[in-house]
Amino acid sequence: PVPAAAAAGEESPAEGGPPDHSYSLSSGTTSEELLRKLNEQRDIIALLEVKMKEMKGSIRRLRLAEAQLREEIREKDRLLHAASAGTRKRHGL
C-alpha cells in the first residue's frame, strides 16, 4: 500500500522532503505529544468558535443598520417625490 503522504503527492521528511508542519505527526509521536497537539487544536477550535460568534453578531448588527438606512432612503425619496410633485402642480407642469 502507498502511504497517504505519497498518495497525496507529498514527500515525507525521511525522503528529504519539507519539514513537518506543526499540525502533522511523525511515526514516532508519543501519546504525550499527541495529547498536547490535540489540546492545541481544541484551543484553536475554541478561539475560532468565539471569533465566528463575534462575526455573526457583527453581521447581524450590520444587517440591521442596512435595513434602517434603506428605510431612511425610502422615506427621503417619498418626501422628495412629494415635494417634486407639489412644485410641478404649483408651476402648472
Side-chain angles (χ1 to χ4, degrees):
V2 177
E10 301 169 2
E11 295 182 40
S12 69
E15 297 170 346
D20 279 348
H21 294 285
S22 62
Y23 53 83
S24 64
L25 302 173
S26 65
S27 58
T29 306
T30 65
S31 36
E32 184 177 306
E33 290 171 320
L34 284 172
L35 187 58
R36 181 182 52 80
K37 287 182 184 244
L38 177 63
N39 286 331
E40 287 173 1
Q41 290 176 350
R42 285 182 178 160
D43 290 346
I44 291 168
I45 290 169
L47 287 171
L48 288 172
E49 287 174 345
V50 167
K51 287 294 179 189
M52 281 177 49
K53 286 179 184 177
E54 290 173 0
M55 289 173 64
K56 285 179 181 179
S58 295
I59 290 168
R60 193 175 304 114
R61 286 189 299 276
L62 287 169
R63 285 184 176 154
L64 287 171
E66 179 188 21
Q68 290 170 338
L69 288 170
R70 287 184 185 275
E71 184 55 37
E72 287 177 27
I73 290 169
R74 278 194 290 273
E75 183 60 28
K76 288 180 180 179
D77 282 348
R78 281 192 289 268
L79 292 172
L80 284 171
H81 181 71
S84 169
T87 303
R88 279 189 250 148
K89 283 184 181 177
R90 276 187 261 139
H91 294 291
L93 297 173

